[in-house]
Amino acid sequence: EMKYFNLVFFTAILSFNLSAAHHEEDEQKGISGLVSSEVFDLAGEMDLYVERYQSCGDTNNEKHYHPVGTLVYMLDGKAASISSGEWKEYSEGSYWFEPSMWVHGGSMTDEPKFGDDQCRQTLVIRASRKGEEPTVFVK
């Protein structure tokens, strides 16, 4: 009984530490607001990333692309994307698709501005080939 409790407790602590490490790693790499991240195996050939982000104000992500496309679903708040070729605002319940290899992020002068009190929560779903990073930063 006690061994089972210790195993569960150890697993919970390890999971928290791995999650925290993943969060800090993404913050350092240039993606802000990561709340949670899970990776699912797709037939041993690809990984499916399901991530939740939360942020307020203007986005401050470094310029990057995703080798395999990304779906962004708005859980709450408002955000803007130029993935369709022109800036569009999205709100709760809407989504947009970021095509494969599309370079975005960084400072864009025409990007719609959000006040510091404007917060958003998004669900980001992206795939990557095994051994390949799902997000590649551009210098």
Side-chain angles (χ1 to χ4, degrees), residues 75-107:
L75 295 169
D76 193 26
K78 291 182 181 176
S81 174
I82 193 169
S83 62
S84 66
E86 61 185 52
W87 283 108
K88 290 185 182 177
E89 279 196 22
Y90 297 86
S91 58
E92 181 180 340
S94 62
Y95 61 89
W96 69 89
F97 181 74
E98 297 174 351
S100 303
M101 308 304 284
W102 174 61
V103 177
H104 58 286
S107 57

Side-chain angles (χ1 to χ4, degrees), residues 22-113:
H22 187 142
H23 177 75
E24 289 168 11
E25 181 181 316
D26 282 337
E27 289 291 335
Q28 291 169 355
K29 282 186 178 177
I31 293 186
S32 59
L34 181 67
V35 174
S36 66
S37 177
E38 288 188 73
V39 183
F40 301 92
D41 178 75
L42 296 179
E45 295 178 16
M46 299 186 79
D47 289 322
L48 180 68
Y49 289 76
V50 178
E51 300 171 330
R52 276 192 49 221
Y53 289 85
Q54 183 173 337
S55 61
C56 298
D58 297 327
T59 58
N60 193 19
N61 295 329
E62 290 179 24
K63 189 175 280 193
H64 63 280
Y65 65 88
H66 311 286
V68 179
T70 297
L71 181 74
V72 181
Y73 179 82
M74 294 296 302
L75 295 169
D76 193 26
K78 291 182 181 176
S81 174
I82 193 169
S83 62
S84 66
E86 61 185 52
W87 283 108
K88 290 185 182 177
E89 279 196 22
Y90 297 86
S91 58
E92 181 180 340
S94 62
Y95 61 89
W96 69 89
F97 181 74
E98 297 174 351
S100 303
M101 308 304 284
W102 174 61
V103 177
H104 58 286
S107 57
M108 300 178 78
T109 56
D110 63 340
E111 183 175 358
K113 301 295 180 192

